[in-house]
Amino acid sequence: MVQIRVEYFAILREHVGCTHEAVSTPAATVGDLYAELDRRHAFPAVGRLKVAVNDEFCDWSTPLRDGDSVVFIPPVAGG
Amino acid sequence: MVQIRVEYFAILREHVGCTHEAVSTPAATVGDLYAELDRRHAFPAVGRLKVAVNDEFCDWSTPLRDGDSVVFIPPVAGG
Amino acid sequence: MKRFGFRRESVDLVACRALLADPVAGAYASFEGWVRNHNEGRDGVLRLEYEGYEQLGVKEGERIIAEALARFDITGAQCIHRLGQLEIGDLAVWVGVSAAHRDAAFAACRYIIDEVKHRVPIWKKEHYADGNSGWVNCEACAAHAGEAPPLQSSGHRHEGTHA
Amino acid sequence: MKRFGFRRESVDLVACRALLADPVAGAYASFEGWVRNHNEGRDGVLRLEYEGYEQLGVKEGERIIAEALARFDITGAQCIHRLGQLEIGDLAVWVGVSAAHRDAAFAACRYIIDEVKHRVPIWKKEHYADGNSGWVNCEACAAHAGEAPPLQSSGHRHEGTHA
């Protein structure tokens, strides 16, 4: 089990109802973590998500380490 | 003979030494007028000139009319 | 660094532009995104809300500007993106580029705004005259995408098309 | 009309930009030509003097902006060119374009500055650190051109290449 901080922005923040949560999880990768949290929160379908660990973009196969901070990134719309 | 006002700008103004002159000329076209004034002033070679009559671009074959205002336009360099 | 930034208050364009002053620069190209009263065929946009993932956003923004400085013959580049609530006509994003010549200034300015729109984690919620609101690209994409699999490895681009 | 103008005093960019405000505009592209300390490989430019044939210049400038409004899907366009003596870093020309989307804003802005540089009767005299001075395009062209025949019918373009 690892302790992970998950931050939510925009449509996911509104859906989950909080800006971040602390998760204790057996998930091995950020993809596994997403699947676990999706079962709990039933995230809305928003098109292709990206993901960041510790404030850098990463692959869904990135292994989780204790203390990591994870952000799921919905399609952006700056400008 | 027609009475023509000729205005000079930039390198031609400096060469001739005045901003404009009144010319009484037998020239039939603006091209003829240029040739006549070139004999008098020995204009510097500045590349391809354009010409305007009464504040509109025109061809060198444009006929001169009494009272016309003529400007010979050296290569421009705005911006 | 410090060539890309977020602002929660209005942007002082005179000061921004002055950051790019350079005696070798003969050309300055800038782009501004303004909040408009319509988007993707929908009228009646009343106001916008921008939310940013700032820690990652500033890193990605700085990377984009570093790329522009490496790819184009420019002397400087800056970008600022607003966050928070904006009204119609407000400046949402500013890009400024200085260069000796205008080809490079235009090309780099275009590069930066295109990349910022595609890569920097900023989200835009539109509020409409009819009382509805929505997160741009997310709710529309979702309708098109159905249940998009999030587990695909994600590239740096998606299909948003805006100003 | 009144979308192109000459100014003998410094340009108020805030006021210029405000002329283009429009609730349907989501994109604003601008270009500025700045006086730089070098030109066409020659260093030591100290200052510039711009001279304009104003009566024809404003007509040609207005034509260029009307062309841009006809060719591109833009909501507004403005251009101001300075005349008189300018120092390094001074703004020599400003072009601003507003549009719903950025493609048209960039394309029209580029069109206007390109055409203004080629078509509007403005001349630039450079003063150099070594005490020399020269009319840009004229003295250099003359050196290349020898005795160019002025009687050829002249098109709307020549070969100047600047910022």
Side-chain angles (χ1 to χ4, degrees), chain B residues 7-74:
Chain B
E7 280 193 81
Y8 296 107
F9 290 96
I11 195 170
L12 296 181
R13 173 182 55 72
E14 287 187 345
H15 177 84
V16 173
C18 67
T19 60
H20 62 280
E21 63 179 331
V23 180
S24 185
T25 177
T29 67
V30 294
D32 295 341
L33 176 65
Y34 181 85
E36 176 187 329
L37 293 172
D38 190 27
R39 283 192 294 275
R40 189 186 317 164
H41 296 302
F43 291 134
V46 295
R48 183 174 287 194
L49 286 179
K50 299 205 278 190
V51 63
V53 170
N54 301 332
D55 301 331
E56 286 295 354
F57 289 111
C58 67
D59 290 338
W60 290 98
S61 60
T62 302
L64 284 176
R65 293 192 176 80
D66 197 54
D68 279 349
S69 167
V70 173
V71 181
F72 304 118
I73 300 174

Side-chain angles (χ1 to χ4, degrees), chain C residues 87-99:
Chain C
E87 310 294 326
I88 304 304
D90 281 351
L91 179 142
V93 60
W94 167 80
V95 178
V97 175
S98 58

Side-chain angles (χ1 to χ4, degrees), chain D residues 72-145:
Chain D
F72 304 100
D73 188 12
I74 60 179
T75 53
Q78 296 270 337
C79 179
I80 291 172
H81 205 295
R82 284 291 311 276
L83 294 179
Q85 186 155 314
L86 301 185
E87 310 294 325
I88 304 301
D90 281 351
L91 180 142
V93 60
W94 168 80
V95 178
V97 175
S98 59
H101 299 281
R102 70 185 182 284
D103 273 343
F106 273 109
C109 188
R110 181 65 197 254
Y111 177 82
I112 292 168
I113 187 61
D114 287 356
E115 296 297 310
V116 164
K117 281 170 173 268
H118 282 112
R119 290 165 49 185
V120 176
I122 300 165
W123 299 274
K124 172 161 59 181
K125 187 176 192 176
E126 292 180 341
H127 296 266
Y128 306 103
D130 62 10
N132 287 323
S133 64
W135 290 97
V136 174
N137 284 356
C138 292
E139 330 237 0
C141 284
H144 298 148

Side-chain angles (χ1 to χ4, degrees), chain D residues 16-65:
Chain D
C16 289
R17 172 179 173 278
L19 294 173
L20 294 164
D22 189 326
V24 308
Y28 167 80
S30 80
F31 176 81
E32 298 176 22
W34 293 348
V35 178
R36 60 171 188 249
N37 61 10
H38 61 103
N39 192 28
E40 298 187 358
R42 180 158 187 172
D43 287 335
V45 177
L46 289 188
R47 62 181 198 281
L48 290 185
E49 226 178 289
Y50 281 102
E51 182 169 340
Y53 172 11
E54 298 189 51
Q55 294 92 330
L56 177 53
V58 294
K59 288 186 195 178
E60 190 72 354
E62 291 288 348
R63 277 192 285 261
I64 289 166
I65 292 188

